[in-house]
């Protein structure tokens, strides 16, 4: 039984499962296919992830020329059969039988098949938890445990339940809490009895908090660090909060190493205090970055940043960011027009240098919580290809980030801008029925825009940088109106929803994305028939970031401007004419208008 348990533990560590030799030497048989038959409880991917035998990559199996090639090891493949047997028995299937079949699959290749007969599982007939009768929060501690009465008996669920009980107690002020477990099984009756004995100890509070900085660099004020931890002396002990302190200090990027230790000697004392020591190794106080690039819709572009992680010696962060794009289309860089694409030079809204200059201030905590306040002051000019040109001489954005170290980080924001948005006259006429110069100039003048926003993200991916499985969901809501400080012409309510799902496929990852959005505007004061949505808030699709194969912003509604047209007099009218595009020897220019609703799906 001990050997069987060892095999099972090795199965659960696939990254270190034996020193297998599945590389291919001359004369070895390639594993062309790996199959599992009869497995109802666990998917093929779960079982394949825990054994050594591996099939060649999809590219290799399909094209036979390139891709990763894996071969058969006769000793390892039989050991895998024992691993699968141990895996099922530890998960509550004592009658499991695993058969192995190796069949030819072409010249120099084989197909490996594991036939699994799971049998009937052992069920938990009785589940007892003792030692919690004196706890006021007993019901909350016991709620939703992984192991349950009537469910399948699983050794790993037993350990997970033990860890859950211990963590819940330590998050409620019991730093010395321990949980003992015992169980008894009857394979003949397929029944199990499980008992957890809780040794909670005494409830404790946080005592003295000490900040210990190691090394010659000691630029950060220890008292300032203590005020940004998000915990305070005297509060109830909570192990999750201490882990959040560690993550929060790492997020400041001011420290290269953070560790937290507790002195539990006071638990046996009458006052039950737990001292906390935070040990730090400081990072470099400043960092600078610069980059240079080229894009077909940006021409030459460059950006740079400078960051002070310990601004004014108080663990505050100051970022200075600058970037320019469309270098070559406007003064003083018009001599570099040869670097820009013809499509960019033909766009009248892209004939101006784009820039951004901003200063951002943030600190790691607000009012002794782990809410992160951020304030930015900036000036920018940006153009959306063929759509609009937005100039903001001055803008201020303030936000508070909550739960940055949790499963659902949120950001509350308020943005105040003083700027203007320009577009083609035909855009205003066709979309908003604003065709007169006086009415259009009223919409294009410098205006005050105030936007109240909220966004939240839930990420459940296996790897943040290069995910292969899991999902990411993001929701954003923005609102502007006179009650929040915006001008009457700048009113809207906008909501966008983004979800991305990742699944392993073809040796890589299949990414599925969905983006949906809607925006509501207010009626114009000059007209009663149209609602006006600020151009920068309209929804656009098409281009490399949404749907490839369509030009930027040109998937969706658009208007077309002919370069040549003729005037036709209206019969019986002396001063009224209408315009007709000349179908001969003429070209059209597309002006995307965006929309107030959007749905885009990608695979």
């Amino acid at each position: 039984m001990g050997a069987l348990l060892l095999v099972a533990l090795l199965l659960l560590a696939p990254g270190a499962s034996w020193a297998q030799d599945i590389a291919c030497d001359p004369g070895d048989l390639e594993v062309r296919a790996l199959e599992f038959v009869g497995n109802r409880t666990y998917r093929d991917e779960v079982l394949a992830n825990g054994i050594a035998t591996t099939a060649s990559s999809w590219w290799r199996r399909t094209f036979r020329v390139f891709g990763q090639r894996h071969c058969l090891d006769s000793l390892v493949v039989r050991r895998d059969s024992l691993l699968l047997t141990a895996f099922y028995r530890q998960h509550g299937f004592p009658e499991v039988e695993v058969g192995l079949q190796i069949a030819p699959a072409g010249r120099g290749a084989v197909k490996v098949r594991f036939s699994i007969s799971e049998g009937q599982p052992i069920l938990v007939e009785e589940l007892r938890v003792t030692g919690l009768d004196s706890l006021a929060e007993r019901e909350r501690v016991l709620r939703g445990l992984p192991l349950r009465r009537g469910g399948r008996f699983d050794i790993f669920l037993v350990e997970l339940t033990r860890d859950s009980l211990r963590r819940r107690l330590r998050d409620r002020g019991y730093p010395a809490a321990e949980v003992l477990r015992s169980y008894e099984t009857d394979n003949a009756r397929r029944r199990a009895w499980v008992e957890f004995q809780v040794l909670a100890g005494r409830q404790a509070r946080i005592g003295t908090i000490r900040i210990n900085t190691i090394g010659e660099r000691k630029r950060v004020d220890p008292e300032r660090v203590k005020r940004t931890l998000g915990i305070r002396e005297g509060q109830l002990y909570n192990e999750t909060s201490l882990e959040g302190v560690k993550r929060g200090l790492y997020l400041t990027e001011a420290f290269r190493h953070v560790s937290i230790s507790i002195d539990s000697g006071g638990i046996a004392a009458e006052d039950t205090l737990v001292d906390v020591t935070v040990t730090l190794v400081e990072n470099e106080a400043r960092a600078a970055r610069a980059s240079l690039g080229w894009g077909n819709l940006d021409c030459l572009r460059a950006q740079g940043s400078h960051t002070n992680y310990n601004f004014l010696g108080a663990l505050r962060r100051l970022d200075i960011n600058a970037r320019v794009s469309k270098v070559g289309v406007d003064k003083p860089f018009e001599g570099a027009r040869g670097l820009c694409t013809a499509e960019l030079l033909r766009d009248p809204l892209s004939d101006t240098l784009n820039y951004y200059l901003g200063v951002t201030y943030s600190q790691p905590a607000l009012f002794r919580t782990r809410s992160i306040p951020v304030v930015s002051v900036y000036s920018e000019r940006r153009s959306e290809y063929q759509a609009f040109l937005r100039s903001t001489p001055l803008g201020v954005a303030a936000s508070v980030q909550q739960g940055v170290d949790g499963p659902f980080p949120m950001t509350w924001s308020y943005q105040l801008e003083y700027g203007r948005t320009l577009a083609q006259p035909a855009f205003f006429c066709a979309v908003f029925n604003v065709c007169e110069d006086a009415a259009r100039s009223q919409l294009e003048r410098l205006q005050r825009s105030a936007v109240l926003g909220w966004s939240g993200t839930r990420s459940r991916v296996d790897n943040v940088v290069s995910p292969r499985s899991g999902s990411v969901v993001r929701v954003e809501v923005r609102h502007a109106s006179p009650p929040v400080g915006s001008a009457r012409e700048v009113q809207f309510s906008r909501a966008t929803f983004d979800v991305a799902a990742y699944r392993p496929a073809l040796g890589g990852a299949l990414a599925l994305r969905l983006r949906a959005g809607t925006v509501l505007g207010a009626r114009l004061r000059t007209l009663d028939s149209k609602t006006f949505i600020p151009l920068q808030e309209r929804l656009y699709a098409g281009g490399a970031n949404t749907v490839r194969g369509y030009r930027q912003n040109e998937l969706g509604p658009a208007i077309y401007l002919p370069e040549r047209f003729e005037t036709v007099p209206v019969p019986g009218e002396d001063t009224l004419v209408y315009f007709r595009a000349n179908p001969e020897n003429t070209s059209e220019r597309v002006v995307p208008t965006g929309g107030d609703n959007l749905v885009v799906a990608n695979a």
Side-chain angles (χ1 to χ4, degrees):
M1 185 65 184
L4 194 60
L5 179 59
L6 176 61
V7 171
L9 293 177
L10 288 172
L11 173 61
L12 292 182
S17 57
W18 308 93
Q20 71 269 17
D21 180 16
I22 57 175
C24 295
D25 297 322
D28 285 352
L29 297 174
E30 179 184 355
V31 179
R32 192 69 55 77
L34 177 63
E35 298 178 351
F36 299 90
V37 179
N39 50 309
R40 301 187 305 272
T41 306
Y42 298 101
R43 302 192 310 271
D44 292 358
E45 294 83 1
V46 175
L47 300 179
N49 193 44
I51 62 176
T53 301
T54 306
S56 297
S57 68
W58 179 86
W59 298 100
R60 178 75 188 183
R61 300 195 309 268
T62 304
F63 299 103
R64 305 286 198 274
V65 178
F66 51 89
Q68 185 65 44
R69 184 169 178 252
H70 296 297
C71 288
L72 182 71
D73 186 315
S74 58
L75 176 62
V76 169
V77 74
R78 286 167 173 79
R79 190 183 294 156
D80 288 340
S81 179
L82 295 177
L83 282 169
L84 291 172
T85 301
F87 176 83
Y88 268 94
R89 289 183 179 177
Q90 292 300 310
H91 284 77
F93 293 91
E95 301 173 352
V96 65
E97 295 181 359
V98 179
L100 172 63
Q101 297 175 330
I102 302 175
R107 184 179 179 182
V110 294
K111 177 173 64 175
V112 177
R113 171 182 291 181
F114 292 99
S115 301
I116 300 172
S117 176
E118 295 182 348
Q120 296 297 317
I122 297 178
L123 301 180
V124 178
E125 182 169 295
E126 184 177 358
L127 175 63
R128 297 181 58 195
V129 180
T130 62
L132 293 176
D133 294 340
S134 60
L135 266 67
E137 297 182 318
R138 180 179 184 277
E139 295 301 323
R140 296 187 62 182
V141 171
L142 295 176
R143 187 179 303 162
L145 291 174
L147 191 70
R148 59 183 179 82
R149 183 178 180 182
R152 177 163 47 87
F153 173 76
D154 188 321
I155 289 294
F156 302 99
L157 285 182
V158 171
E159 293 300 325
L160 184 60
T161 301
R162 177 185 181 184
D163 291 341
S164 297
L165 287 169
R166 183 166 48 200
R167 168 52 67 94
R168 293 178 185 185
L169 290 168
R170 293 185 177 185
D171 282 349
R172 287 167 170 80
Y174 297 91
E178 288 295 341
V179 179
L180 306 179
R181 57 98 173 136
S182 61
Y183 61 86
E184 182 181 349
T185 59
D186 185 341
N187 291 347
R189 295 176 53 198
R190 293 192 289 273
R191 291 292 182 269
W193 298 265
V194 184
E195 180 177 353
F196 296 97
Q197 183 180 1
V198 176
L199 305 176
R202 302 193 64 175
Q203 197 171 47
R205 296 183 177 274
I206 294 178
T208 303
I209 300 176
R210 301 184 181 91
I211 307 298
N212 180 25
T213 303
I214 300 177
E216 297 179 358
R217 297 188 180 96
K218 295 183 179 180
R219 295 181 291 260
V220 181
D221 182 7
E223 288 301 317
R224 179 61 189 172
V225 174
K226 187 181 295 187
R227 289 196 295 269
T228 62
L229 295 179
I231 61 173
R232 66 183 185 277
E233 297 174 352
Q235 79 175 50
L236 201 62
Y237 178 89
N238 187 300
E239 196 165 85
T240 299
S241 294
L242 294 182
E243 294 174 356
V245 167
K246 187 174 181 179
R247 286 192 294 266
L249 290 174
Y250 270 123
L251 286 173
T252 66
E253 300 185 53
F255 306 101
R256 67 178 60 182
H257 175 75
V258 180
S259 65
I260 297 179
S261 59
I262 64 172
D263 179 12
S264 58
I267 295 178
E270 194 65 31
D271 53 359
T272 62
L273 294 178
V274 177
D275 295 338
V276 176
T277 301
V278 181
T279 304
L280 306 171
V281 178
E282 292 187 18
N283 206 345
E284 295 294 336
R286 295 176 176 84
R289 301 174 180 86
S291 62
L292 182 70
W294 181 90
N296 63 332
L297 296 181
D298 276 341
C299 199
L300 194 65
R301 58 190 180 190
Q303 65 180 18
S305 65
H306 175 81
T307 303
N308 187 332
Y309 298 110
N310 189 31
F311 182 58
L312 298 179
L315 204 58
R316 302 182 180 97
R317 176 168 172 165
L318 185 71
D319 292 273
I320 302 175
N321 296 282
R323 63 175 180 264
V324 291
S325 61
K326 295 182 171 58
V327 176
V329 301
D330 192 13
K331 297 178 181 180
F333 307 105
E334 67 271 16
R337 292 176 69 87
L339 296 174
C340 304
T341 60
E343 60 180 345
L344 182 67
L345 295 175
R346 285 195 300 266
D347 180 19
L349 297 171
S350 298
D351 62 354
T352 305
L353 181 72
N354 285 201
Y355 73 90
Y356 174 88
L357 178 62
V359 178
T360 301
Y361 166 86
S362 62
Q363 63 184 54
L366 180 66
F367 306 133
R368 292 185 178 270
T369 68
R370 279 196 296 277
S371 298
I372 301 176
V374 181
V375 179
S376 298
V377 180
Y378 60 92
S379 176
E380 73 169 333
R381 181 194 296 137
R382 61 183 175 92
S383 58
E384 189 67 33
Y385 179 70
Q386 299 273 40
F388 62 84
L389 172 64
R390 175 70 177 173
S391 298
T392 307
L394 180 63
V396 179
S399 64
V400 176
Q401 301 174 16
Q402 293 180 314
V404 292
D405 57 349
F408 190 66
M410 299 183 297
T411 300
W412 300 86
S413 64
Y414 182 79
Q415 184 177 19
L416 184 63
E417 288 186 347
Y418 188 64
R420 62 188 301 182
T421 305
L422 303 178
Q424 290 294 302
F427 183 100
F428 288 97
C429 187
V431 178
F432 302 117
N433 200 25
V434 178
C435 302
E436 297 180 353
D437 290 343
R440 188 180 70 254
S441 62
Q442 183 180 357
L443 297 177
E444 291 183 330
R445 74 180 192 275
L446 285 169
Q447 294 177 327
R448 184 181 67 257
S449 171
V451 181
L452 187 65
W454 172 87
S455 64
T457 304
R458 191 214 65 184
S459 178
R460 293 182 178 177
V461 293
D462 59 341
N463 187 303
V464 177
V465 178
S466 180
R468 290 174 57 88
S469 63
S471 63
V472 179
V473 178
R474 187 175 190 274
V475 180
E476 182 181 20
V477 179
R478 291 165 55 85
H479 172 75
S481 63
V484 299
S486 191
R488 290 180 58 88
E489 290 81 8
V490 186
Q491 300 186 59
F492 67 89
S493 295
R494 168 174 163 161
T496 55
F497 173 81
D498 295 270
V499 59
Y502 303 90
R503 296 291 182 270
L506 308 182
L510 173 65
L512 304 174
R513 295 185 177 93
L514 174 67
R515 177 176 176 82
T518 186
V519 56
L520 305 174
R523 292 192 177 276
L524 294 171
R525 287 187 295 173
T526 56
L527 298 169
D528 295 330
S529 58
K530 292 286 184 177
T531 57
F532 177 69
I533 298 172
L535 279 62
Q536 68 272 17
E537 299 296 337
R538 296 179 69 82
L539 302 169
Y540 297 88
N545 293 328
T546 54
V547 180
R548 297 178 183 270
Y550 288 87
R551 292 166 63 91
Q552 185 72 17
N553 300 323
E554 291 186 10
L555 175 60
I559 57 177
Y560 300 90
L561 305 182
E563 294 184 355
R564 300 183 181 182
F565 56 89
E566 59 186 12
T567 58
V568 179
V570 178
E573 297 287 345
D574 296 334
T575 60
L576 188 63
V577 299
Y578 65 88
F579 299 93
R580 181 171 61 194
N582 187 348
E584 298 180 0
N585 197 20
T586 187
S587 61
E588 295 177 339
R589 186 163 59 83
V590 177
V591 177
T593 64
D596 51 9
N597 292 284
L598 170 73
V599 176
V600 175
N602 311 83

